[in-house]
Amino acid sequence: MLMPIIPQPGIAGINLTYSSDTADVDGFAAAGSPSGDVTVNITITSGTELYASTTSNYGLDLNGFSAGSLVNLFIEGEIQGKGGKTSGAAGGPALRLGCETNTSGAGAIRGGGGNGGQGGTSQGSTTDVEVGCVIVGGAVAGGAGGAGQDRVGGPASGSSGSSVYSSKLSGAGGAGGAWGVAGSTGGTGNATTCGAPGYNNAGSAGGAAGLSIKTQSNTYSNLVTTTNGSISA
């Protein structure tokens, strides 16, 4: 829910507040898409989440303000990125800046967690008394990586590998990352080939962590209580 608020003491400008969970917030549009320099004061109340619905979106996007504008963010709730949801997928960013920005409050800015990597493939074998070593079937895919953390849930463990031969397994999927943390690499397959390790592949890398703040080279001060994930241009 977006509604006018009482301006913060000593600060004049456009005043907005969010008091219920809202996806993919465009702060520039919410402020009326001003054409000139403005000061915008945005309050996110305690228990309220501004969240990204996909890893391509932002929980709060401030892009569009003119270079001389100033945004003051009073964060008592949270701004959240989306977690990676397929093997090796990166987590999404939480906040993008579009001008000089100050953040403060007891809340949090959290990048989405990266999804875990796919487990490595394996191919089993057996030994035939007449022809020797015989490869069993084709390569068996590894387990899927676990989902990265976001408001829906996580971080999740990766799936177990699949049976190849004599209970030998392909690699397990890597675990998903917590808020602002990369997913883990998938496990290596562990089937044996005629009594010796072989025909196994390493698991793939986990997805990168989502940024807490994408600055776009704008000046900022970050005094919010909790920040999960890197801050980068």
Side-chain angles (χ1 to χ4, degrees):
M1 179 183 296
L2 177 62
M3 51 194 280
I5 64 168
I6 299 173
Q8 298 293 323
I11 301 177
I14 300 168
N15 296 280
L16 307 170
T17 191
Y18 290 87
S19 57
S20 61
D21 296 351
T22 308
D24 309 326
V25 174
D26 183 338
F28 178 67
S33 303
S35 58
D37 295 345
V38 292
T39 295
V40 181
N41 308 306
I42 300 175
T43 296
I44 304 168
T45 62
S46 179
T48 298
E49 298 172 355
L50 303 190
Y51 63 95
S53 62
T54 73
T55 55
S56 298
N57 293 343
Y58 299 85
L60 175 60
D61 191 352
L62 300 176
N63 194 50
F65 289 105
S66 60
S69 294
L70 173 65
V71 174
N72 296 303
L73 285 175
F74 306 97
I75 304 171
E76 298 301 324
E78 296 192 3
I79 303 172
Q80 302 172 348
K82 180 72 173 176
K85 298 304 177 186
T86 57
S87 291
L95 170 65
R96 179 165 69 165
L97 308 186
C99 63
E100 181 180 355
T101 303
N102 299 315
T103 68
S104 63
I109 306 173
R110 306 185 191 274
N115 200 99
Q118 183 84 22
T121 59
S122 289
Q123 192 168 12
S125 66
T126 187
T127 301
D128 185 278
V129 295
E130 294 183 359
V131 299
C133 180
V134 177
I135 302 300
V136 179
V140 177
Q149 187 168 11
D150 58 21
R151 72 189 303 268
V152 177
S157 300
S159 300
S160 299
S162 300
S163 177
V164 180
Y165 183 74
S166 300
S167 299
K168 303 302 182 182
L169 300 176
S170 57
W179 288 116
V181 176
S184 299
T185 299
T188 300
N190 65 349
T192 58
T193 303
C194 296
Y199 293 94
N200 296 308
N201 290 307
S204 61
L211 297 176
S212 58
I213 303 175
K214 184 175 179 63
T215 68
Q216 298 194 119
S217 300
N218 290 289
T219 301
Y220 72 97
S221 64
N222 181 29
L223 301 177
V224 73
T225 297
T226 303
T227 302
N228 301 112
S230 299
I231 299 172
S232 174

